[in-house]
Amino acid sequence: MEPKKNTVDIQNTYDDNYTDYLDTIPHLFHYNAFLMLSNGVEAKAGTLGSKYEFFHEWKRLSEADEGNVALETRLRGICKKENFFDLLENFILYDHSDGRTVKILARNHQYLRVNEAVKAYESKKLRDGKLGMFWHTQGSGKSYSMVFLSAKICRKFSGSPTIVVLTDREELNKQISDTFENCGLLGAAKASQFIASSGTNLVQKLQGNPSFIFTLIQKFNQPNEKPIYPDHDMIIMSDEAHRSQYGGYAENMWALLLTASRIGFTGTPLLSSDNITEHTFGGYISIYDFKRAVEDGATVPLYYKNRGEKILNIDNPEIGERILEVIEKADLDPSQQEKLENEFAKEIHLLTAEPRLDSLAKDFVGHYSDLWTSGKAMFVCLNKVTFVRMYNYVQKYWVQVIADLEEKIKHVSQQEAQEFGRKLKWMQETEMCVVISQKQNEIQTFTKWGLGILPHRAKMEKRELDKEFKDPKNPFRGVLVCAMWLTSFDVKSLSCLYLDKPLKVHTLMQTIARANRVAEGKSNGLIVDYIGIVKALRKALADYTPNQGGGGSDPTVDKGKLVTRIHEIIVAASEFLGEHKFSLDDLVNTQKGAFEQLSLLQDVTNAMCETLEIKKTYQTYASEPARLMKYANRNDADTQTRAYKDAIIAIYDTLQKNASILIIQILWFKLIVL
């Protein structure tokens, strides 16, 4: 643990102290479980080798707690003896993905929620095998939560259970089985040994007692099989459970596995009318929604911009529930594509008209090239033919912007030429690709449109595009997709998501979550909406089961409203200080140096300590801008706004000096030594 006084920025303990210890006394960390950083007011925990962005707060002792970042909460949550040994034994993983080893410590929400699921498993008979629904918003570590839960059940309970991990899509099945393999839960075996290759093979595996089985719901295709009554526990972990509990395959599964316990995992909330999923698994045992994930730093905030309303030649059709349903069926079953095009010929024509696509491509290139330092981008198109057409339009405008930059550099100052030169180099290096699943007669399909699919297919077959796109240093920075990579594909450096496809609400929420992963230097994700579909998301949230705050939680934030709120709080704090005879302007604008600033800080601190009520009121004002500014990047607030925010926080920090290092030491002694 590295404790500092409360006036020191907590990141300094990482940058200045921890990194120095790694260089000068590396043997100190040979047997390290995890690391804690604190300045008394805030505290974070992480693992050896993790970047600062992946050190996380421990804000709650129970799921119902509002949340407190103070060191005391972390000490009681992590360093209480039974919690400490539980973390050490059951909540540290080593993920060997991508040829390197990453040490993972469970986040606060994973620790609390997985242990709730373990309690549900302990009482499975009383629950009639229904362990409940586990909603952790996309990007908050749901796959790792499944690994933590599986490992603890296997380690702490007698017997040899079989855990059936159920999905409904090949890419999701591969992703979750690879995660279990890379985290060591399958021993030295490969995930392929545990994946059901057919309906018959699945039944054979279920009749045995393997530790894990990974299968698609579609493999439960043997309706006449006799029920299996194993002499050991069987647990069904259904990922994206809301999608797999309908129709004949689900009926076959439950008829085959009458005694299995079941727990449902989902990254999106359930519809309030979804009685089947709740009837199958039971009610929520854990809720970790969009808002709380952002507040805890488990995901970054998503900002939303509707650019479709501002572009010429954009004529969007009315998006109803029927077209959404048919589009989703066409994504899952290519044979449904013709039905979609026949039933919604007018809407499809509007969405795929050449002037519209040309205008979108021009706007996309201009917008993304302006954000060239932000990270990678994904453009979601209606269908396969459309995104190959879009790719061609995008390439046309990309080359044009490069030519414009080359010309501009000839006529600007030396400093401007340096900046434009860096952008030019980035654009010249940047590669765009399309990612498309293969289907029969695809060459003929694309030839009808005068398009060539073979060069794109060659890239997908000869290269590992998924690994290249996940690598933040790889110049493959822009991808065009229509169905692949929209779910269960995590790219931490993906910052910009461009939507031009109608999507059903569950799929839409999973899709926009592609941009909410935490990465070094990434302050937020950006959703650019060309079709107006996020409006439908906000409307649909009213139909979802409420979160702990009592209502549907919007996963996107209007950036303009965020900046407006910061200004409102600064004005309110300034007026409150004025009521107590202190001008915040004096502190911000003083030209007399550090001593004068210290004197002014002491004056205002004395004023704010006049009564306990005054002090608490000011602390309430000061805490909000600090929190909101985490969600804003440098371009969202001007220099003056940041100066006033810094002054408000400086007063707040001075008020906290009463929390001495002695109190920290006493708490540490009580919780650890005794």
Side-chain angles (χ1 to χ4, degrees):
M1 178 177 177
E2 180 65 23
K4 290 293 179 185
K5 61 182 180 181
N6 55 13
T7 56
V8 175
D9 189 318
I10 191 171
Q11 187 166 351
N12 289 352
T13 64
Y14 180 95
D15 294 336
D16 300 337
N17 301 100
Y18 163 60
T19 53
D20 179 58
Y21 299 155
L22 282 177
D23 292 335
T24 56
I25 45 174
H27 53 278
L28 182 67
F29 301 97
H30 286 179
Y31 304 100
N32 176 261
F34 47 82
L35 307 157
M36 294 176 63
L37 313 172
S38 179
N39 61 4
V41 179
E42 295 179 82
K44 292 178 177 286
T47 57
L48 190 64
S50 296
K51 296 182 181 298
Y52 177 75
E53 285 78 7
F54 296 100
F55 275 67
H56 47 84
E57 297 165 341
W58 200 276
K59 299 166 69 172
R60 299 174 186 87
L61 302 181
S62 70
E63 187 163 329
D65 291 352
E66 187 65 28
N68 187 333
V69 299
L71 176 62
E72 180 181 357
T73 305
R74 177 167 293 279
L75 292 177
R76 296 186 185 280
I78 288 182
C79 298
K80 186 179 178 182
K81 186 170 71 172
E82 52 266 40
N83 293 5
F84 182 88
F85 283 115
D86 190 19
L87 282 165
L88 182 64
E89 182 182 10
N90 301 304
F91 290 94
I92 294 176
L93 295 172
Y94 293 88
D95 189 338
H96 301 281
S97 302
D98 303 322
R100 60 193 184 97
T101 301
V102 177
K103 188 176 183 180
I104 305 291
L105 172 68
R107 287 179 171 271
N108 187 191
H109 70 274
Q110 291 172 316
Y111 176 76
L112 293 174
R113 275 83 175 170
V114 167
N115 276 331
E116 286 298 315
V118 170
K119 291 177 184 176
Y121 179 68
E122 284 182 309
S123 58
K124 57 183 180 294
K125 290 184 179 179
L126 293 175
R127 292 172 168 266
D128 194 26
K130 300 176 184 179
L131 307 187
M133 283 298 301
F134 198 102
W135 168 26
H136 279 195
T137 193
Q138 293 284 337
S140 63
K142 177 164 58 74
S143 296
Y144 282 136
S145 294
M146 295 174 74
V147 173
F148 286 127
L149 176 59
S150 300
K152 186 163 185 178
I153 287 175
C154 292
R155 186 179 293 122
K156 303 300 287 186
F157 291 87
S158 60
S160 178
T162 291
I163 298 176
V164 181
V165 182
L166 183 72
T167 57
D168 66 343
R169 298 183 183 182
E170 286 284 3
E171 61 267 27
L172 182 55
N173 195 38
K174 184 178 187 306
Q175 180 257 324
I176 194 66
S177 60
D178 284 350
T179 299
F180 274 66
E181 176 189 330
N182 293 327
C183 291
L185 265 70
L186 309 183
K190 293 292 184 182
S192 56
Q193 295 178 224
F194 297 87
I195 295 175
S197 57
S198 66
T200 301
N201 180 250
L202 173 59
V203 172
Q204 291 171 351
K205 290 182 181 297
L206 291 169
Q207 289 171 340
N209 185 203
S211 52
F212 294 96
I213 299 173
F214 300 94
T215 183
L216 299 175
I217 184 70
Q218 294 88 336
K219 295 287 171 45
F220 284 94
N221 54 17
Q222 309 289 316
N224 299 319
E225 283 290 336
K226 294 180 180 179
I228 296 172
Y229 296 98
D231 57 3
H232 55 271
D233 275 1
M234 186 171 289
I235 310 157
I236 295 173
M237 289 188 178
S238 181
D239 196 12
E240 299 306 338
H242 59 277
R243 295 201 307 242
S244 57
Q245 303 317 307
Y246 302 90
Y249 297 131
E251 292 174 6
N252 293 344
M253 177 175 64
W254 300 124
L256 185 66
L257 305 175
L258 294 170
T259 62
S261 301
R262 46 209 182 271
I263 181 170
F265 286 80
T266 180
T268 54
L270 301 181
L271 283 164
S272 55
S273 59
D274 187 355
N275 297 320
I276 295 179
T277 303
E278 185 170 344
H279 176 75
T280 301
F281 296 99
Y284 285 123
I285 54 168
S286 178
I287 294 177
Y288 195 64
D289 63 14
F290 316 110
K291 182 173 181 288
R292 184 164 280 195
V294 170
E295 289 175 348
D296 290 354
T299 62
V300 298
L302 294 174
Y303 296 134
Y304 168 71
K305 285 189 176 182
N306 187 338
R307 294 184 66 82
E309 299 172 345
K310 302 176 182 179
I311 304 174
L312 295 176
N313 298 320
I314 293 291
D315 188 9
N316 289 329
E318 197 69 33
I319 304 299
E321 188 62 29
R322 174 61 183 163
I323 190 173
L324 293 174
E325 184 178 331
V326 177
I327 287 174
E328 183 164 279
K329 286 182 178 178
D331 285 341
L332 295 173
D333 182 1
S335 67
Q336 298 292 314
Q337 186 66 36
E338 186 176 345
K339 178 180 179 180
L340 167 65
E341 293 173 0
N342 290 335
E343 186 173 348
F344 295 98
K346 179 182 177 181
E347 289 82 356
I348 299 301
H349 176 73
L350 286 173
L351 291 172
T352 60
E354 182 176 345
R356 182 181 185 278
L357 297 183
D358 188 86
S359 295
L360 288 185
K362 184 177 182 179
D363 185 78
F364 163 68
V365 170
H367 187 265
Y368 181 48
S369 62
D370 281 345
L371 298 176
W372 65 280
T373 60
S374 64
K376 300 202 174 188
M378 177 182 286
F379 195 108
V380 184
C381 299
L382 176 65
N383 55 38
K384 296 175 181 180
V385 169
T386 301
F387 75 58
V388 174
R389 292 172 66 199
M390 273 296 295
Y391 172 85
N392 293 338
Y393 291 130
V394 166
Q395 292 305 300
K396 177 181 74 172
Y397 287 112
W398 198 264
V399 171
Q400 184 176 310
V401 172
I402 288 175
D404 292 344
L405 269 176
E406 289 173 333
E407 184 64 26
K408 186 180 290 186
I409 288 172
K410 299 176 184 178
H411 307 288
V412 296
S413 67
Q414 184 181 32
Q415 289 185 13
E416 289 175 314
Q418 288 285 337
E419 178 64 19
F420 287 139
R422 285 190 289 270
K423 180 177 178 180
L424 176 63
K425 184 174 184 290
W426 177 86
M427 292 198 69
Q428 290 170 332
E429 292 175 345
T430 294
E431 181 182 16
M432 300 271 182
C433 297
V434 301
V435 173
I436 177 176
S437 58
Q438 194 165 11
K439 70 171 186 175
Q440 288 183 330
N441 301 319
E442 68 176 7
I443 296 176
Q444 296 176 9
T445 300
F446 284 95
T447 301
K448 288 178 182 177
W449 285 86
L451 303 170
I453 189 59
L454 290 179
H456 301 294
R457 180 62 59 202
K459 280 185 185 180
M460 288 180 273
E461 291 177 350
K462 294 178 180 179
R463 293 164 54 182
E464 294 183 299
L465 290 181
D466 55 344
K467 291 184 178 179
E468 291 184 29
F469 197 61
K470 289 180 179 182
D471 180 359
K473 297 180 181 178
N474 193 290
F476 171 24
R477 299 188 179 106
V479 65
L480 291 90
V481 300
C482 66
M484 291 184 68
W485 291 10
L486 296 189
T487 61
S488 309
F489 183 68
D490 294 345
V491 181
K492 292 181 173 63
S493 57
L494 177 61
S495 296
C496 302
L497 183 78
Y498 297 82
L499 286 173
D500 191 42
K501 177 177 182 175
L503 296 168
K504 292 194 76 171
V505 176
H506 272 301
T507 306
L508 177 60
M509 284 194 283
Q510 291 177 317
T511 299
I512 65 176
R514 299 310 100 204
N516 76 352
R517 274 40 175 184
V518 175
E520 184 178 11
K522 179 178 173 182
S523 61
N524 62 270
L526 179 64
I527 310 300
V528 177
D529 186 3
Y530 286 124
I531 203 168
I533 193 62
V534 174
K535 289 181 179 178
L537 168 62
R538 288 173 167 166
K539 183 178 180 182
L541 282 168
D543 293 330
Y544 280 83
T545 48
N547 61 19
Q548 288 170 312
S553 175
D554 192 340
T556 61
V557 178
D558 188 307
K559 214 167 187 180
K561 292 180 181 178
L562 175 76
V563 176
T564 299
R565 181 59 181 164
I566 292 171
H567 284 291
E568 289 173 352
I569 293 298
I570 289 174
V571 169
S574 180
E575 291 176 350
F576 181 77
L577 291 170
E579 292 172 6
H580 296 276
K581 312 299 188 230
F582 183 82
S583 170
L584 190 62
D585 293 339
D586 292 345
L587 182 58
V588 171
N589 299 319
T590 181
Q591 303 293 321
K592 297 181 181 180
F595 288 112
E596 176 67 15
Q597 285 183 329
L598 287 173
S599 176
L600 289 170
L601 272 175
Q602 191 58 55
D603 290 343
V604 68
T605 301
N606 291 338
M608 293 298 98
C609 288
E610 186 175 336
T611 68
L612 183 60
E613 183 180 354
I614 292 173
K615 182 178 180 181
K616 285 185 175 181
T617 302
Y618 180 77
Q619 288 173 330
T620 301
Y621 281 124
S623 61
E624 189 168 0
R627 178 176 60 82
L628 293 178
M629 287 298 279
K630 291 180 183 178
Y631 307 154
N633 58 35
R634 289 275 172 193
N635 298 325
D636 294 324
D638 57 29
T639 303
Q640 186 179 36
T641 299
R642 290 186 177 275
Y644 275 87
K645 183 271 298 184
D646 290 342
I648 290 169
I649 300 304
I651 298 168
Y652 177 85
D653 289 342
T654 306
L655 285 171
Q656 304 306 309
K657 285 185 177 180
N658 293 331
S660 66
I661 295 295
L662 177 60
I663 293 175
I664 297 172
Q665 292 172 336
I666 291 171
L667 282 168
W668 179 264
F669 180 78
K670 286 183 177 180
L671 291 165
I672 304 301
V673 180
L674 297 182

